[in-house]
Amino acid sequence: MRWILAALTSLLVGACGGPPSDAGSASSPSHDDPAARSVSYDGTWELVEGYAPEGPVEISERFRITLTINGGRWGGLSACNYYGASATVDGTSISVGGIGGTEMGCRPEAAEREARYQAALMAAETIERSGERLTLTGPDAALVFEFVPPPPTAKLTGVRWELESIVHGRGPDAATSEARPAFLYFDKDGKFEGSTGCRGLKGEWAEEADRIMFLSLSADDGQCSDAMTAQNDAVFTVTDGFTFEIEGDTLTAYGRFSDTALVYRARSS
């Protein structure tokens, strides 16, 4: 898995039917417009609306679809797998090359979203940025993205984060439970250590678009009691990569495929 992520890192740096009739309208600037050539598309974008020749691309918080652009190198997360592609941009005209990526086994609903998204991406012929919104259009296809700010990684590192609570679910119906002692620590040089409360963790981490990924991760053979098993499992939900928010001295981490959130508090010095 590590060599796949490394290879991809080099590439990265509601009705059925077709897209709305105004997608790729004539109001878009011509690819010969000098102003269009000066627009920067670089950064990470998250899909908020999508249509493929086969039908709409469903949007899900759990199976996010992102696009990271670094010049002609494109890639991101396509609901389940990480992908990379090459693209040629000429003003507002684009041509997306072959897509390659990881080959994780996906749930059927995630696999369908992924297939439709990639088909729409390959069909895209125009690109337009309007503020924090990016739109790709092509024959019977349209993808609308919103800009994702880079994570506050500087606030994450060099702090011992101690687990305070676990939030089960999202939204107003989410339930919160208290946590047993556990911690996370991210070194600014890419080293990581922590614990689930009953097992020690260590490894290497890296920032990848708006997500923290583990390049390597190992856990000791500590035995977890029945009372600690649920917490151990909850902490492991972030090991496939996680997004996070930091407000004051509170860190909230969201696992890639989980509806569980881990809430940590910075230890007072």
Side-chain angles (χ1 to χ4, degrees):
M1 182 64 175
R2 183 173 180 179
W3 72 266
I4 295 176
L5 287 173
L8 285 176
T9 299
S10 69
L11 287 171
L12 299 173
V13 194
C16 296
S21 59
D22 63 347
S25 66
S27 62
S28 300
S30 165
H31 70 271
D32 292 325
D33 184 350
R37 295 180 181 278
S38 66
V39 175
S40 174
Y41 306 112
D42 286 2
T44 294
W45 307 83
E46 181 166 1
L47 189 71
V48 295
E49 186 176 1
Y51 299 86
E54 300 79 9
V57 182
E58 292 188 23
I59 305 302
S60 168
E61 286 187 358
R62 190 169 188 180
F63 300 105
R64 300 170 65 227
I65 296 175
T66 64
L67 170 63
T68 296
I69 299 177
N70 183 3
R73 294 175 293 175
W74 290 24
L77 179 65
S78 55
C80 177
N81 285 288
Y82 288 93
Y83 71 95
S86 60
T88 300
V89 181
D90 182 13
T92 60
S93 295
I94 61 171
S95 175
V96 181
I99 296 176
T102 57
E103 297 181 353
M104 293 176 57
C106 305
R107 296 186 179 185
E109 63 270 29
E112 178 66 21
R113 291 185 180 100
E114 184 167 88
R116 291 190 179 188
Y117 166 69
Q118 293 190 3
L121 185 63
M122 290 292 292
E125 296 180 349
T126 65
I127 183 170
E128 181 180 359
R129 177 174 182 172
S130 178
E132 303 294 276
R133 181 158 287 215
L134 183 74
T135 303
L136 308 181
T137 57
D140 298 319
L143 298 171
V144 182
F145 301 85
E146 289 186 353
F147 182 72
V148 178
T153 307
K155 294 182 179 180
L156 178 70
T157 59
V159 178
R160 181 183 170 96
W161 298 99
E162 298 189 343
L163 188 61
E164 186 172 78
S165 59
I166 302 173
V167 181
H168 308 274
R170 301 199 181 196
D173 297 328
T176 302
S177 60
E178 292 186 3
R180 305 285 183 90
F183 78 97
L184 297 175
Y185 182 86
F186 297 88
D187 188 281
K188 65 180 181 180
D189 295 325
K191 301 297 184 181
F192 158 81
E193 63 177 311
S195 77
T196 68
C198 55
R199 301 181 69 188
L201 305 171
K202 65 179 180 179
E204 297 175 297
W205 68 277
E207 177 184 335
E208 201 168 282
D210 67 329
R211 188 178 300 273
I212 299 300
M213 296 296 301
F214 293 99
L215 303 180
S216 66
L217 180 69
S218 62
D220 64 28
D221 296 326
Q223 298 298 310
C224 299
S225 65
D226 291 343
M228 287 298 298
T229 297
Q231 177 172 307
N232 178 76
D233 293 345
V235 173
F236 266 95
T237 63
V238 304
T239 59
D240 283 329
F242 66 93
T243 56
F244 67 96
E245 299 173 356
I246 296 178
E247 294 186 6
D249 63 352
T250 301
L251 163 70
T252 305
Y254 303 89
R256 177 180 168 193
F257 295 119
S258 175
D259 291 327
T260 298
L262 305 177
V263 181
Y264 292 84
R265 180 94 51 187
R267 185 180 67 176
S268 301
S269 56

